[in-house]
Amino acid sequence: MISIGERLRRQRLQNRISLERVSLETKIGVRLLEAIEAGQFEKLPGGVFRRSFVLQYARALQLDPDEIAEELNQLSQFDEVPQLPTADAVQGQSRTRIRILIPWRPE
């Protein structure tokens, strides 16, 4: 089975589309697209951005994003789920208040 990155690269070459063109369409930098094609997902921003970039790339190549998403679910690099703070952690934090003064002149 070929990797997701290799599959995207092959589809791009088959469609005769340059990385620069995909970059303009998706607003994803060429270096990040190269990282996706090389399977170097750790070079992508984390969290939801990592998954989103790969799926945007797939859509730009007219591939089924649901099929790619299913394959992504099997990769450990896409297991990242940001930890939400617990109520105990939030209570222990000190709160800083910021006061902003806006000058007002009656007309």
Side-chain angles (χ1 to χ4, degrees):
M1 182 176 177
I2 64 172
S3 69
I4 294 170
E6 181 63 19
R7 183 173 169 196
L8 293 170
R9 187 184 76 77
R10 287 182 183 183
Q11 185 67 41
R12 178 180 62 79
L13 293 174
Q14 183 179 339
N15 293 353
R16 298 175 190 227
I17 301 173
S18 70
L19 280 173
E20 290 76 15
R21 183 171 163 200
V22 176
S23 178
L24 287 172
E25 185 176 331
T26 62
K27 308 292 190 265
I28 300 170
V30 171
R31 288 186 182 172
L32 295 177
L33 294 172
E34 290 171 337
I36 292 170
E37 287 188 353
Q40 298 171 336
F41 300 116
E42 68 279 358
K43 291 186 177 181
L44 302 176
V48 297
F49 294 106
R50 184 172 291 168
R51 176 178 295 277
S52 175
F53 282 10
V54 176
L55 296 178
Q56 283 181 54
Y57 190 6
R59 280 188 206 96
L61 299 176
Q62 306 300 313
L63 291 173
D64 181 9
D66 293 333
E67 192 175 308
I68 299 294
E70 193 62 38
E71 291 180 41
L72 292 177
N73 289 337
Q74 298 172 11
L75 298 176
S76 62
Q77 294 101 328
F78 294 89
D79 289 344
E80 287 182 25
V81 176
Q83 294 292 323
L84 298 175
T86 63
D88 295 336
V90 172
Q91 278 183 330
Q93 295 176 353
S94 64
R95 294 183 181 185
T96 303
R97 291 186 181 198
I98 298 174
R99 179 176 278 175
I100 299 174
L101 300 175
I102 301 172
W104 181 72
R105 293 185 191 146
E107 293 185 34

